[in-house]
Amino acid sequence: MAVKRVLTGMRTTGQLHLGHYVGALKLWKEIQDRREYECFFLLADVQALTTHADNPSLIKESITDVVLDWLSVGLDPDLEKVYFVLQSGIPARFELSQYLMMLATYMEVRRNPTVKAELKTIRSPSMGFMTYPVDQVADIEMISPEPGNRNEILVPVGEDQAPHLEYARRLTRRFNETYGKVLVPCRAEIGEIGRLVGTDGSDKMSKSKGNAIYLADSTNDVTQKIMKMYTDPKRIRATDPGTVEDNPLFIYFDAFAQNEAEVEEYKRQYRAGKVGDVVLKKRLAVVINEMLDPIRERRKKFNKELAVEVIRYGTRATNVVADETLDRVKSAMGLFS
Ligand code: TRP
């Protein structure tokens, strides 16, 4: 029987918002519910340190916050072969990372477009930051089954992660060319919506910009944020013809409304100056709150103690798999194992 595994993850740097939901979580849950794959969902706390090493309380808080968000959207470690894995809790992963680094070159990491973009915002990048793309390959390959037998690793992620996954495939192939068939190269599945605009209209929802709607926000918070959100700046009165394209109001309607015909009708009216921003914002708040209600309902069943238990269980199970992979890797490299 083919061993089919999913590994994907998120950095634990704060509560999750609608951008995480449409960009990643929705797809993760869909894949989980297909029940074709063993699912390893990684809490990337080590990678969080690449940018937040000076903030231990944030790191600590975020780990359980992210677990509670994941549980609330329906990722479910009660299902067979679904694991929430703490990155810092897998010793074999650090080792694998160090070994992969011997085949990775500094220049290829420097050329990675995601790294390039991030470097523009970081003043003095740490060694930990510079090596994170290789570390991420270790995240993925630590759960590698043996090649062959149609075994596979699937990695569902948002568009911004595409260069990392291409790199993971390259480095894994290089490893296999050097040491024989030891690791299964991963396959990426890129989500439909790569990133979601913020409520301020800037191109990405993020905590640092204060333009995020969180999965844990109350009905009231969501309504208030929507009522204040950025729409078409050129439109002053409800009777002015409005622009639909690139308007966050409609980007959100498209992302969250169930009823496409309803949204098309709003677009028509908006273009014709027949409906006001306020009316549409009120409706959008209802749409988003309806989407969040089941998530809120599920959240009531969980607490921090349970989150910790879930992490312990998933991390223990993953250690068993990662230790096996590491044994194969070490003996292929001529190391005692
Ligand atoms: N880099 C990813 C992010 O910033 C998180 C991540 C860490 C990840 N390790 C991974 C994603 C392995 C997929 C596979 O969101």
Side-chain angles (χ1 to χ4, degrees), residues 18 25 43 110 115 130 173 230 245 309 317:
L18 292 181
L25 296 174
L43 299 146
R110 277 298 277 114
V115 172
M130 291 313 300
R173 265 188 265 120
Y230 175 98
E245 287 66 35
E309 225 173 272

Side-chain angles (χ1 to χ4, degrees), residues 207-278:
K207 184 168 66 174
S208 55
K209 290 186 188 155
N211 63 4
I213 294 173
Y214 293 96
L215 299 176
D217 275 350
S218 69
T219 308
N220 240 328
D221 287 345
V222 170
T223 305
Q224 273 180 25
K225 287 178 183 181
I226 297 285
M227 294 315 289
K228 279 191 283 208
M229 79 182 272
Y230 175 98
T231 61
D232 175 357
K234 292 195 291 293
R235 193 167 194 245
I236 297 160
R237 274 170 258 105
T239 51
D240 296 342
T243 305
V244 165
E245 287 66 35
D246 296 327
N247 186 332
L249 194 60
F250 290 99
I251 295 174
Y252 287 10
F253 266 123
D254 284 335
F256 301 109
Q258 299 292 326
N259 185 342
E260 262 177 61
E262 179 193 351
V263 174
E264 288 315 307
E265 176 59 19
Y266 293 153
K267 288 180 182 172
R268 199 187 59 72
Q269 290 177 9
Y270 198 81
R271 289 194 179 101
K274 292 222 164 88
V275 64
D277 277 42
V278 175

Side-chain angles (χ1 to χ4, degrees), residues 66-241:
V66 169
V67 170
L68 292 174
D69 281 332
W70 284 1
L71 291 168
S72 303
V73 300
L75 299 183
D76 186 358
D78 274 346
L79 292 172
E80 210 185 326
K81 299 193 169 166
V82 174
Y83 309 107
F84 290 5
V85 187
L86 190 64
Q87 195 184 22
S88 63
I90 316 282
R93 195 204 63 85
F94 289 92
E95 259 190 271
L96 177 59
S97 179
Q98 185 73 22
Y99 297 139
L100 290 173
M101 268 186 241
M102 304 305 169
L103 296 187
T105 75
Y106 180 72
M107 284 317 290
E108 66 197 358
V109 171
R110 277 298 277 114
R111 280 195 298 268
N112 177 310
T114 302
V115 172
K116 265 192 184 167
E118 286 165 344
L119 279 174
K120 288 194 181 128
T121 68
I122 299 178
R123 237 182 305 123
S124 186
S126 64
M127 286 301 293
F129 177 85
M130 291 313 300
T131 55
Y132 96 77
V134 183
D135 216 44
Q136 189 160 331
V137 182
D139 293 339
I140 298 167
E141 292 301 327
M142 71 175 172
I143 55 106
S144 177
E146 292 190 51
N149 205 11
R150 286 196 274 122
N151 293 350
E152 59 165 316
I153 306 175
L154 180 68
V155 188
V157 283
E159 182 66 49
D160 63 320
Q161 296 296 307
H164 291 318
L165 297 197
E166 220 170 280
Y167 185 58
R169 289 178 57 81
R170 239 174 84 198
L171 193 56
T172 305
R173 265 188 265 120
R174 190 178 302 159
F175 188 97
N176 286 347
E177 278 158 18
T178 311
Y179 300 113
K181 283 205 156 89
V182 179
L183 301 169
V184 175
C186 68
R187 182 163 65 82
E189 185 163 335
I190 308 291
E192 238 173 276
I193 301 182
R195 60 172 54 178
L196 189 69
V197 288
T199 54
D200 62 351
S202 76
D203 75 325
K204 196 175 171 191
M205 190 173 272
S206 83
K207 184 168 66 174
S208 55
K209 290 186 188 155
N211 63 4
I213 294 173
Y214 293 96
L215 299 176
D217 275 350
S218 69
T219 308
N220 240 328
D221 287 345
V222 170
T223 305
Q224 273 180 25
K225 287 178 183 181
I226 297 285
M227 294 315 289
K228 279 191 283 208
M229 79 182 272
Y230 175 98
T231 61
D232 175 357
K234 292 195 291 293
R235 193 167 194 245
I236 297 160
R237 274 170 258 105
T239 51
D240 296 342

